[in-house]
Each structure stands twice: as structure tokens, then as C-alpha cells.
Amino acid sequence: MTGETDRIQGYTLGLRVTFEDQEALRAYGPHPAHQAFVSSLDGWIDNVIVSDYPIPCK
């Protein structure tokens, strides 16, 4: 955990999802399994922030 607690805006959980490539990332959002998961969270969460950013391969 970092010391940046003044910027968490009340969030208590963060998830990191790593994809093989941009095509896999684009396929993830509309995939039926992902959509079913998102639907299962209805009523459990108030807000979501999504941030996509590339991580250069070494």
C-alpha cells in the first residue's frame, strides 16, 4: 500500500488486469463472461473508475 491515501476518494479495492495485447483488451469488455461478472456486481458497488495504460515490454 502506498502513502497516497489522501487521493483514494473512498475506494477500498483496486484490481489490475493484464492482457497479452491490445486485441485481447478490446475483446475483454464486451465478452459475455465479463458482462455477466459486471452484472453480478449490481447493487454491490457504487462507483467504478477504469484506467487503461500500456506497460512497455522489456
Side-chain angles (χ1 to χ4, degrees):
M1 185 150 126
T2 68
E4 298 175 346
T5 56
D6 58 327
R7 293 189 254 171
I8 63 173
Q9 301 175 20
Y11 288 91
T12 57
L13 177 67
L15 301 174
R16 176 181 168 182
V17 180
T18 305
F19 297 93
E20 189 69 30
D21 53 30
Q22 287 289 322
E23 184 178 333
L25 170 61
R26 284 190 291 275
Y28 173 74
H31 191 280
H34 175 67
Q35 290 301 310
F37 173 72
V38 169
S39 293
S40 75
L41 297 175
D42 191 37
W44 288 91
I45 58 174
D46 295 324
N47 197 11
V48 173
I49 294 175
V50 175
S51 177
D52 297 330
Y53 54 91
I55 298 175
C57 297
K58 293 183 179 184

